[in-house]
Amino acid sequence: MSSHESDPPASSALWHGTTIVTVRKNGIVAVGGDGQVSIGQTIVKGNAKKVRRLAGGGVIGGFAGATADAFTLFERLEAKLEQYPGQLMRAAVELAKDWRTDRYLRRLEAMMIVADPKVSLVLTGTGDVLEPENGVMGIGSGGNYALAAARALIDTDMDAEAIVRRSLAIAAEICVYTNDKVVVETMTT
């Protein structure tokens, strides 16, 4: 077997390196992510900020995947939000169209969760703009663990931010590509 046959497909790189989770509950939306940056099996940074505010603070975004690619997508989304102020869904759909059709953007390996007071969305390089069921979604290497934890906690007395923090802690206990250095941003819906 040659070495390239054992390498994971390029698309699986999207799933290694971070965990992002979002929860909408009782008038609050929270988006959180861990801070681990890995290259292969090596941790190169533990406190990266993969969740940030966009559009003058009116949108929260978090990314999983290649950092440079994610920053490119954040910049493109910011431009779309300037073009369509207060219309996250429209801006996301326009970004997804570009992402899918533009030769340069198609090569970007990242996923994003974005949220504003009205909607939470997952954006993928295949042109998907997905609205999470019940306002809960996770992406990245530990995304499924965080998603399962958040779904289990959504009917408890915990608020959105506490659910995000606990879900990320659970993901960090399971996923080797996720750590416990988290950043959580919240906004009122």
Side-chain angles (χ1 to χ4, degrees):
M1 174 186 276
S2 67
S3 65
H4 75 278
E5 289 174 340
S6 63
D7 292 341
S11 63
S12 71
L14 294 174
W15 298 103
H16 294 291
T18 199
T19 300
I20 304 293
V21 65
T22 185
V23 172
R24 267 180 194 275
K25 183 176 178 184
N26 297 334
I28 301 291
V29 62
V31 178
D34 77 304
Q36 185 164 305
V37 176
S38 304
I39 297 176
Q41 297 176 347
T42 304
I43 298 168
V44 294
K45 185 174 182 176
N47 63 347
K49 186 176 178 190
K50 300 173 201 168
V51 174
R52 59 194 60 223
R53 294 214 177 237
L54 308 167
V59 173
I60 304 169
F63 70 86
T67 304
D69 293 353
F71 285 130
T72 298
L73 292 170
F74 273 153
E75 289 171 7
R76 297 284 181 120
L77 181 58
E78 285 269 24
K80 295 296 182 187
L81 288 165
E82 286 175 15
Q83 190 175 356
Y84 306 104
Q87 299 177 61
L88 177 58
M89 179 67 84
R90 174 84 187 268
V93 168
E94 294 300 321
L95 174 63
K97 286 180 192 177
D98 291 351
W99 196 349
R100 188 167 182 158
T101 59
D102 182 276
R103 177 178 284 155
Y104 169 72
L105 291 178
R106 273 196 316 251
R107 295 186 179 156
L108 299 182
E109 294 186 358
M111 294 180 74
M112 298 172 65
I113 286 180
V114 292
D116 72 2
K118 295 178 257 178
V119 66
S120 297
L121 302 168
V122 176
L123 310 177
T124 73
T126 57
D128 293 321
V129 177
L130 307 168
E131 188 170 0
E133 187 174 343
N134 301 321
V136 178
M137 179 54 94
I139 61 171
S141 58
N144 286 336
Y145 306 120
L147 173 61
R151 284 186 177 173
L153 296 170
I154 197 75
D155 290 328
T156 68
D157 291 338
M158 296 172 76
D159 64 23
E161 181 176 356
I163 292 171
V164 165
R165 289 185 182 281
R166 184 66 186 125
S167 298
L168 288 167
I170 290 168
E173 292 171 2
I174 300 168
C175 177
V176 297
Y177 296 103
T178 303
N179 71 12
D180 60 359
K181 311 289 189 287
V182 301
V183 171
V184 179
E185 293 282 347
T186 63
M187 72 173 50
T188 304
T189 62

